[in-house]
Amino acid sequence: MTLGKVTGTIVATQKDEKLIGSKLMVVQNVDLNGEVDRIYTVAVDAVGAGIGEIVLVATGSSARQTAVTGNKPVDAVIMAIVDTVEVTGKVRYQK
């Protein structure tokens, strides 16, 4: 899993029929302080994330393990919206 920040959306009217109804989001990797990186991922949103939220993204075969993405051609999924990041007793991010 990686931490990311939702920074955009993707609209694709022509897509595999298994992806119809899927919400595609642009996610940028973030560090533990919530600072964005230049690495972008397109992920299916399984939890109703919005622009600006910090999320957990699963990739690879794990991305096809949610109720929304099971047996679909998906390589990345937003599977959690982060409330708090705490490292060694210090809160690094709070929603």
Side-chain angles (χ1 to χ4, degrees):
M1 288 182 280
T2 58
L3 279 173
K5 183 175 186 175
V6 179
T7 57
T9 59
I10 295 197
V11 176
T13 54
Q14 298 292 321
K15 57 185 166 266
D16 184 281
E17 64 183 26
K18 290 182 180 180
L19 291 177
I20 293 173
S22 296
K23 184 176 167 188
L24 302 174
M25 308 295 284
V26 177
V27 180
Q28 282 184 265
N29 284 5
V30 297
D31 64 18
L32 292 176
N33 295 313
E35 298 297 321
V36 294
D37 193 356
R38 289 184 173 216
I39 298 173
Y40 294 86
T41 301
V42 176
V44 170
D45 181 14
V47 294
I51 301 291
E53 290 192 290
I54 301 296
V55 296
L56 285 177
V57 176
T59 57
S61 61
S62 296
R64 295 180 292 281
Q65 301 301 313
T66 72
V68 172
T69 59
N71 201 31
K72 295 184 179 181
V74 173
D75 190 51
V77 64
I78 297 170
M79 48 82 159
I81 299 170
V82 175
D83 296 313
T84 306
V85 175
E86 181 181 327
V87 179
T88 62
K90 180 180 176 189
V91 175
R92 306 287 291 268
Y93 168 80
Q94 183 76 45
K95 184 173 180 180

